[in-house]
Amino acid sequence: MLLKNFRYQIVSENQRRGYKITGVCKSNSNIGQRYVLRVSTTRGVPSTSTNLKEALCEKIPVHYDLLRNFRKEHGQSVISRITVDNVYNGLQGVNTMVRETSENDSKYGIRYRGLTIPEVLNLLPRHGTSPSVEAVFWLLLTGDVPTQEQTNSLINDWSSRRQRRKEWWSGPGGGIIGSVLKNLPDNVTPLGRLSIALTVLQTDKHTKKALENGALNHTHWEHIYEDSMELLAALPAIVGLVGKGRELRNVTERGDWIDFLLECLSNTSEDLKGRTTSIGDFLRLYVSLNADEDGGVPGVHITQISGASYLDISQALASGVLVYENEPVTGTLSQYMEFQKKVKSVLGTKPKEETLKDFLTSFVEENKLIGHKETRFLDSRYTALLNHVKTYLPGDEEVKLSQDITRVLAFLMKNTKNKNVFPEQNSIAAPMFQFYGLKDMKFNQVLLCMSRALGATASIIWTRAINAPVEQPKSNSTYTYFYSLRDIRNKIKKRTRVKHLTKFTS
């Protein structure tokens, strides 16, 4: 069967649940303007099981049949044409990979299982004003928009799993993780600490036991699933320990992912105490927006390859963590905040329009557009954060300065170089983090990495479920490519010459 046989209109199911379907405007001149949105479709018949593993079990044979029939019918079809320039440009924008959990749409931005960000924010069950992280993970893993009952079931499952793995993060000295982190030198970055923390964990208990007992290949995914769920359940505590390196005291295991994270962070930060409700809504939004990314992004790609190589799940995540020191390449949270502080130190918090234009002109001339990039459409993640700002942070000076910088940069680029420049989400996320008391931008980069762990884990589970091979493209030197293409060109010339001679003599 082909994909069309498994599609259903999600709009009817969610209209029944009472969701209001709205989206956001993508134009540069009307950033954040709302409009009614036509809902996409997800793939497959939604499961009614409240057990995530059972729901996934229903999906795997259906997807396996899809793959078998798709490859049978189109196995020799060409997907992409690769040129020499493509190879030397890092295959940027070339379709060469498969990632089931999400993909980038050139117009609508990141899609989770076919759903755009506005759809995800409106359709998924909420905790407060933002989607539940557990609901986002359910969507990424199964392709279904979960019910509130299914979401609550996963919240309870993760709560019980983190209780069973308390030796990782709890106890004198902060458990296994804390005992390692406290001995690290001060110059290790938060992402470096997270990478070390994940590396020292042994999260392959279920997988190792199954392999020792001779588990069959088609059941391996079940054991990596169990290991992955335990790691995701405990990950907020690991991040809390990475934040300050202190042991976590009086932390309860109950609650959803973000409540547990905030309890761990409040244990180490005075700025967060008494503000967990508003911060929780923001963090649920931020994690939902960054739960997955295109498979070609370096950190995501490295993690996927490691997971397919049968590293245990914590080591697979650890392998990609350090790449987030420079993610995204248009400017990390820390890099953007340093840029905005530079503007503020020279011009003040409320610079005049002309003064700001004069200051930013040099950045435009040198193409140093930190937190911005040349593209055709505004990132839907930025728009979602902007809508949150309009509702909950309407008067914050740092956010207002960020918007002023964005407006002036867009004007200058359009009028001096005739290019469309749009802001990346970090240009507004950085001052939002600061507003909510999370002022260490290098640590906030850990929260980005933590968010991406959701999509990475879901993708690795699927890799095991369909027994996908590890990527093994072939490499050649420049000389080999050159001589190969020269020989091909000479053969073509020779054939053409012979053809002309034959025609002349006849």
Side-chain angles (χ1 to χ4, degrees):
M1 297 182 186
L2 293 179
L3 184 63
K4 61 183 181 181
N5 296 330
F6 299 108
R7 296 174 73 88
Y8 77 103
Q9 287 289 339
I10 202 171
V11 61
S12 58
E13 172 67 13
N14 287 282
Q15 283 177 341
R16 183 181 63 78
R17 296 177 190 168
Y19 288 107
K20 182 181 179 182
I21 314 303
T22 59
V24 286
C25 185
K26 292 286 172 57
S27 71
N28 193 28
S29 58
N30 298 297
I31 294 176
Q33 181 179 324
R34 306 188 71 80
Y35 66 90
V36 176
L37 184 74
R38 180 181 299 172
V39 179
S40 305
T41 59
T42 56
R43 286 92 173 186
V45 177
S47 172
T48 59
S49 175
T50 56
N51 182 295
L52 179 56
K53 193 173 184 179
E54 290 179 0
L56 181 57
C57 277
E58 297 174 21
K59 304 293 180 179
I60 291 171
V62 174
H63 190 74
Y64 196 83
D65 282 346
L66 167 64
L67 290 179
R68 183 180 59 193
N69 285 283
F70 176 60
R71 293 187 65 179
K72 181 179 179 180
E73 184 172 346
H74 299 285
Q76 301 303 313
S77 299
V78 176
I79 291 178
S80 291
R81 174 178 171 268
I82 299 177
T83 66
V84 170
D85 280 343
N86 291 147
V87 171
Y88 285 92
N89 287 331
L91 297 179
Q92 186 173 353
V94 180
N95 294 321
T96 59
M97 301 169 59
V98 176
R99 189 172 183 84
E100 304 295 357
T101 51
S102 68
E103 58 192 339
N104 256 329
D105 185 300
S106 60
K107 184 175 182 181
Y108 295 106
I110 192 74
R111 286 179 178 268
Y112 296 166
R113 291 289 186 165
L115 298 182
T116 63
I117 287 297
E119 292 166 353
V120 168
L121 298 181
N122 282 284
L123 298 180
L124 266 59
R126 292 175 175 268
H127 185 127
T129 63
S130 301
S132 292
V133 171
E134 290 80 1
V136 175
F137 183 73
W138 191 294
L139 170 66
L140 290 171
L141 189 60
T142 67
D144 293 345
V145 173
T147 63
Q148 187 64 60
E149 186 181 9
Q150 289 170 324
T151 303
N152 291 340
S153 174
L154 184 54
I155 291 173
N156 293 333
D157 179 45
W158 281 359
S159 296
S160 63
R161 287 179 187 274
R162 68 176 64 110
Q163 167 68 32
R164 295 199 296 269
R165 283 303 205 173
K166 286 187 74 170
E167 76 276 9
W168 287 351
W169 55 273
S170 184
I176 295 172
I177 298 300
S179 63
V180 172
L181 294 181
K182 70 181 180 181
N183 293 318
L184 295 178
D186 294 338
N187 64 347
V188 180
T189 65
L191 282 170
R193 294 165 66 85
L194 177 62
S195 180
I196 292 168
L198 292 172
T199 301
V200 300
L201 280 180
Q202 292 183 336
T203 57
D204 60 348
K205 180 182 74 173
H206 298 281
T207 302
K208 184 181 292 185
K209 183 178 179 181
L211 293 176
E212 288 173 353
N213 294 331
L216 298 175
N217 282 348
H218 69 272
T219 67
H220 286 182
W221 75 267
E222 299 180 40
H223 313 296
I224 192 65
Y225 172 92
E226 295 296 333
D227 291 331
S228 299
M229 292 300 101
E230 290 183 353
L231 177 59
L232 285 179
L235 189 56
I238 297 171
V239 169
L241 288 168
V242 165
K244 295 293 181 180
R246 306 172 190 166
E247 65 180 89
L248 306 178
R249 297 176 179 175
N250 303 319
V251 173
T252 62
E253 301 81 26
R254 311 306 300 176
D256 76 346
W257 218 50
I258 298 300
D259 282 340
F260 182 53
L261 171 66
L262 284 174
E263 197 165 355
C264 296
L265 293 179
S266 297
N267 222 266
T268 61
S269 174
E270 293 294 328
D271 291 335
L272 303 185
K273 291 183 178 179
R275 307 176 60 196
T276 54
T277 300
S278 59
I279 300 172
D281 288 337
F282 164 63
L283 286 178
R284 285 187 188 89
L285 174 61
Y286 182 78
V287 171
S288 297
L289 298 177
N290 291 282
D292 204 15
E293 182 57 282
D294 182 82
V297 171
V300 178
H301 195 187
I302 290 171
T303 304
Q304 180 66 29
I305 292 173
S306 298
S309 302
Y310 280 78
L311 289 179
D312 73 56
I313 188 64
S314 63
Q315 291 175 340
L317 293 178
S319 68
V321 166
L322 294 181
V323 183
Y324 284 89
E325 295 279 7
N326 193 38
E327 169 67 24
V329 294
T330 52
T332 65
L333 289 164
S334 180
Q335 289 167 343
Y336 179 78
M337 210 62 214
E338 288 175 7
F339 167 65
Q340 183 159 315
K341 285 179 179 177
K342 187 175 182 179
V343 174
K344 184 178 176 182
S345 65
V346 176
L347 306 179
T349 307
K350 299 178 180 179
K352 294 182 179 180
E353 186 90 3
E354 291 303 318
T355 307
L356 187 57
K357 285 181 182 178
D358 292 340
F359 182 82
L360 293 177
T361 297
S362 61
F363 290 90
V364 170
E365 291 173 350
E366 297 174 11
N367 282 324
K368 294 181 178 179
L369 305 179
I370 300 174
H372 299 73
K373 73 174 183 179
E374 183 183 349
T375 183
R376 293 174 57 205
F377 300 100
L378 177 64
D379 187 350
S380 55
R381 291 171 290 199
Y382 178 93
T383 310
L385 291 172
L386 182 59
N387 287 331
H388 182 92
V389 164
K390 290 180 176 180
T391 305
Y392 302 104
L393 288 76
D396 184 71
E397 291 184 348
E398 293 287 351
V399 174
K400 177 66 166 56
L401 178 58
S402 165
Q403 293 174 272
D404 290 343
I405 291 171
T406 290
R407 187 183 68 258
V408 171
L409 280 176
F411 173 82
L412 291 174
M413 287 296 291
K414 186 66 177 177
N415 285 271
T416 61
K417 297 190 176 184
N418 196 29
K419 293 181 179 180
N420 290 320
V421 170
F422 287 94
E424 293 278 84
Q425 62 165 329
N426 278 354
S427 66
I428 196 169
M432 290 175 75
F433 273 115
Q434 183 165 284
F435 172 85
Y436 284 113
L438 293 163
K439 299 177 182 179
D440 185 347
M441 294 301 156
K442 290 189 175 180
F443 173 74
N444 294 338
Q445 203 73 10
V446 170
L447 298 180
L448 171 63
C449 191
M450 174 187 173
S451 305
R452 297 274 175 85
L454 297 167
T457 302
S459 186
I460 289 171
I461 292 172
W462 268 103
T463 297
R464 301 289 180 87
I466 61 175
N467 199 25
V470 183
E471 290 179 37
Q472 291 183 315
K474 188 178 183 302
S475 62
N476 286 316
S477 69
T478 297
Y479 284 105
T480 299
Y481 285 125
F482 174 76
Y483 291 133
S484 175
L485 292 174
R486 188 186 64 177
D487 291 344
I488 292 172
R489 184 179 59 187
N490 289 339
K491 288 178 181 178
I492 292 173
K493 286 183 177 180
K494 185 177 180 180
R495 282 199 301 267
T496 305
R497 195 161 52 242
V498 169
K499 184 177 179 181
H500 282 301
L501 286 172
T502 304
K503 183 178 180 181
F504 179 76
T505 55
S506 62

